[in-house]
Amino acid sequence: MHRLLSLLLLLFPLSIFSQEITLNRVEPPFWWTGFKNTSLQLLVHGNNISSTNVSVNYPGFVLKKVNKVENPNYLFLDLSVGNSAQPGIATILFKQGNKVVGKYLYELKARKKGSASRASFSSHDVIYLVMPDRFSNGDTANDNLPGMVEQVDRTNKDGRHGGDLKGIMDHLDYVQDLGITALWINPLQENNMSKYSYHGYSITDYYKIDPRFGSNEDYLKLSDAVHKRGMKLIKDMVFNHCGSNHWWMQDLPSRDWVNQWPEFTRTNYRAGTFTDPYASQADSNMFVRGWFDITMPDLNQANPYVKNYLIQNSIWWVEYAGLDGIRQDTHPYPFKEMMAEWGKRLQEEYPNFNVVGECWLNYPASVAYWQQGAKNKDGYNSWLPTVFDFPLYDALGKAFSEPEGWNTGIVRLYEILAQDFSYPDPNNIVVFADNHDVNRFLDSQKDDVRKLKMAMAYILTTRGIPEIYYGTEILMTTGADKSGDGNKRRDFPGGWSSDSQNAFTAQGRTNAENDIHNYIRKLVRWRDASEVIHTGKFRHFIPADGVYVYFRYNEKSTVMVVMNNNEESKTIETKRYNEFLKKFKSGVEIISGNSLNDLSKLTIPAKSVIIIELK
Ligand code: CA
């Protein structure tokens, strides 16, 4: 990606320039013509670079302002990429007096046709979440690389295991066969950290895919391959913090580039301080300015250069890799005004673009605050289209394992959805049973597969956008010690050539694994083809005797879902559901394929869900 720069340094060895001046980086490394917002701010880093005079001579690409900051090794160049600017290569000259001391060939690329009007992920999709280090090692040659401090060690649950983009590429058939239509991959940018570099949330270079996953070009190839299959690619982004080995941590542009404290100060992780009308200033301040971890410096998005850097970086990836969506990490932790500005800017350039923010809060009202268009008392509009349904995740974990009661058991699902009035757009919420940050769903269910099936049937038929965490379809658990992030992110069996099992194939899976795999595959593929589940209305009935009934319906079709949370089979009279059932005489149960010719009574096996397409 810094090819032009490297080439230039080769052509003009630094020795011919003034001793004091170097040109190390220009970011974004290239840009495009034809954006609605014509402004571009370049971060320029190099020894004493601020002592130079900068000029750009290119039609329509105009240098508006040169900004200096505390550190003389930086310049921030405000440029305009006007409507008249044609794709091509502009020369940015850095001079002392009449002497050229640095030169950067800045490419303005043409945007792909249809770039602005791209579609994005939606309730039509089923998302599959992959932790790239733990899915498949497609290229062992990139496992250990010079310059990358952490080496592969599969015996360490918190170490790098060697998975990569090639591994994902190699198993797109598997993912697509499951019916998946969108891939969310945990962050892929360089994490050159000495420990825990595998998870990707300690970025050390925002413009570069970690070479142990592959190159930027490999990411493009993956994007193309995903798109050729009619699938979508969602990129995980992290604005709140970087990794402590990020290159700029050695030479910060200004002291306020990151939020600094007299001593290490951890965030209180209470995202609710943002919405809490009674929150103290001390708590709010610590939430937003405290560091997520010792190795994760907290970026100060209130600094306008940091803000522009992050916004441009996200647009750069969308445009470069043809992204279909973004998942934003720790969404409430950065300064929220900046996050709103980011969301607005994205929508300005890509009006149909979807972004899901990780707003990890336990109450629907708190999560709803963050969804775009919420009527918040403080007037805040997040410009964030989508949120994760953490309250529903929490309810799912409990609903099938508790005794039925007024507030316990299956009624939890009913009560959470009953609070959908809080959300501006309840159908644009990501629903999930687990993800990379929590114990796997089966762990909370004492490995009872019936309950996993219930959860999968639920997330695949309720409102919103379902997300399935890799390995859930083959009964992956956190393992024997049931703790630690590393165990939540175990290797997919068969992803490594030395694995004794290959769960990517039916032959390689156990009977139990094939049973759940087939169950999920059948439901996902049925959902893919069921518009009524994507966009149909939702209506439910108060659970009675541990049985919860809801309908999805539109003009053309109606689907009835019946969940039996009892330890015994239940036969129910259906008179109570006549407002839907009176129009129908029969139905087909999706999982068994059985025809039902008498809808007056229904029998649902213990701890299971039936899904009936009504005829
Ligand atoms: Ca590898």
Side-chain angles (χ1 to χ4, degrees), residues 137 139-140 142-143 162 164 212:
N137 189 354
D139 179 8
T140 52
N142 63 21
D143 289 0
D164 46 40
R212 292 162 295 186

PDB file of all heavy atoms in Angstrom, residues 137 139-140 142-143 162 164 212, ligand 1:
ATOM      1  N   ASN A 137      -6.043 -22.209   8.888  1.00  0.00           N
ATOM      2  CA  ASN A 137      -4.713 -21.779   8.481  1.00  0.00           C
ATOM      3  C   ASN A 137      -4.469 -22.221   7.036  1.00  0.00           C
ATOM      4  O   ASN A 137      -4.033 -23.327   6.779  1.00  0.00           O
ATOM      5  CB  ASN A 137      -3.658 -22.377   9.423  1.00  0.00           C
ATOM      6  CG  ASN A 137      -2.278 -21.783   9.192  1.00  0.00           C
ATOM      7  OD1 ASN A 137      -2.074 -21.007   8.258  1.00  0.00           O
ATOM      8  ND2 ASN A 137      -1.340 -22.129  10.047  1.00  0.00           N
ATOM      9  N   ASP A 139      -2.402 -20.782   4.914  1.00  0.00           N
ATOM     10  CA  ASP A 139      -1.047 -20.494   4.423  1.00  0.00           C
ATOM     11  C   ASP A 139      -0.085 -20.489   5.607  1.00  0.00           C
ATOM     12  O   ASP A 139      -0.004 -19.508   6.352  1.00  0.00           O
ATOM     13  CB  ASP A 139      -1.059 -19.120   3.729  1.00  0.00           C
ATOM     14  CG  ASP A 139       0.323 -18.739   3.207  1.00  0.00           C
ATOM     15  OD1 ASP A 139       1.243 -19.586   3.241  1.00  0.00           O
ATOM     16  OD2 ASP A 139       0.479 -17.574   2.770  1.00  0.00           O
ATOM     17  N   THR A 140       0.630 -21.585   5.786  1.00  0.00           N
ATOM     18  CA  THR A 140       1.532 -21.668   6.947  1.00  0.00           C
ATOM     19  C   THR A 140       2.766 -20.781   6.746  1.00  0.00           C
ATOM     20  O   THR A 140       3.455 -20.456   7.709  1.00  0.00           O
ATOM     21  CB  THR A 140       1.985 -23.125   7.203  1.00  0.00           C
ATOM     22  OG1 THR A 140       2.513 -23.645   5.973  1.00  0.00           O
ATOM     23  CG2 THR A 140       0.821 -23.990   7.644  1.00  0.00           C
ATOM     24  N   ASN A 142       2.845 -17.718   6.222  1.00  0.00           N
ATOM     25  CA  ASN A 142       2.703 -16.404   6.849  1.00  0.00           C
ATOM     26  C   ASN A 142       2.559 -16.493   8.368  1.00  0.00           C
ATOM     27  O   ASN A 142       2.299 -15.486   9.035  1.00  0.00           O
ATOM     28  CB  ASN A 142       1.529 -15.629   6.228  1.00  0.00           C
ATOM     29  CG  ASN A 142       0.186 -16.320   6.458  1.00  0.00           C
ATOM     30  OD1 ASN A 142       0.050 -17.140   7.369  1.00  0.00           O
ATOM     31  ND2 ASN A 142      -0.806 -15.973   5.654  1.00  0.00           N
ATOM     32  N   ASP A 143       2.719 -17.681   8.941  1.00  0.00           N
ATOM     33  CA  ASP A 143       2.495 -17.840  10.386  1.00  0.00           C
ATOM     34  C   ASP A 143       3.460 -16.995  11.220  1.00  0.00           C
ATOM     35  O   ASP A 143       3.062 -16.311  12.160  1.00  0.00           O
ATOM     36  CB  ASP A 143       2.646 -19.308  10.801  1.00  0.00           C
ATOM     37  CG  ASP A 143       1.492 -20.165  10.291  1.00  0.00           C
ATOM     38  OD1 ASP A 143       0.591 -19.613   9.630  1.00  0.00           O
ATOM     39  OD2 ASP A 143       1.497 -21.379  10.560  1.00  0.00           O
ATOM     40  N   GLY A 162      -2.500 -19.026  13.753  1.00  0.00           N
ATOM     41  CA  GLY A 162      -2.076 -19.108  12.356  1.00  0.00           C
ATOM     42  C   GLY A 162      -3.170 -19.003  11.308  1.00  0.00           C
ATOM     43  O   GLY A 162      -2.891 -19.029  10.109  1.00  0.00           O
ATOM     44  N   ASP A 164      -5.888 -17.459   8.731  1.00  0.00           N
ATOM     45  CA  ASP A 164      -5.636 -16.339   7.821  1.00  0.00           C
ATOM     46  C   ASP A 164      -6.733 -16.199   6.760  1.00  0.00           C
ATOM     47  O   ASP A 164      -7.701 -16.967   6.746  1.00  0.00           O
ATOM     48  CB  ASP A 164      -4.254 -16.493   7.163  1.00  0.00           C
ATOM     49  CG  ASP A 164      -4.019 -17.906   6.647  1.00  0.00           C
ATOM     50  OD1 ASP A 164      -4.984 -18.484   6.106  1.00  0.00           O
ATOM     51  OD2 ASP A 164      -2.895 -18.430   6.815  1.00  0.00           O
ATOM     52  N   ARG A 212       0.208 -11.505   8.731  1.00  0.00           N
ATOM     53  CA  ARG A 212       0.001 -12.908   9.118  1.00  0.00           C
ATOM     54  C   ARG A 212      -1.386 -13.396   8.694  1.00  0.00           C
ATOM     55  O   ARG A 212      -1.664 -14.582   8.683  1.00  0.00           O
ATOM     56  CB  ARG A 212       0.222 -13.071  10.621  1.00  0.00           C
ATOM     57  CG  ARG A 212       1.676 -12.853  10.994  1.00  0.00           C
ATOM     58  CD  ARG A 212       1.861 -12.583  12.476  1.00  0.00           C
ATOM     59  NE  ARG A 212       1.225 -11.332  12.877  1.00  0.00           N
ATOM     60  CZ  ARG A 212       1.334 -10.813  14.103  1.00  0.00           C
ATOM     61  NH1 ARG A 212       2.033 -11.438  15.023  1.00  0.00           N
ATOM     62  NH2 ARG A 212       0.740  -9.665  14.398  1.00  0.00           N
TER      63      ARG A 212
HETATM   64 CA    CA B   1      -1.211 -18.741   8.415  1.00  0.00          CA
END
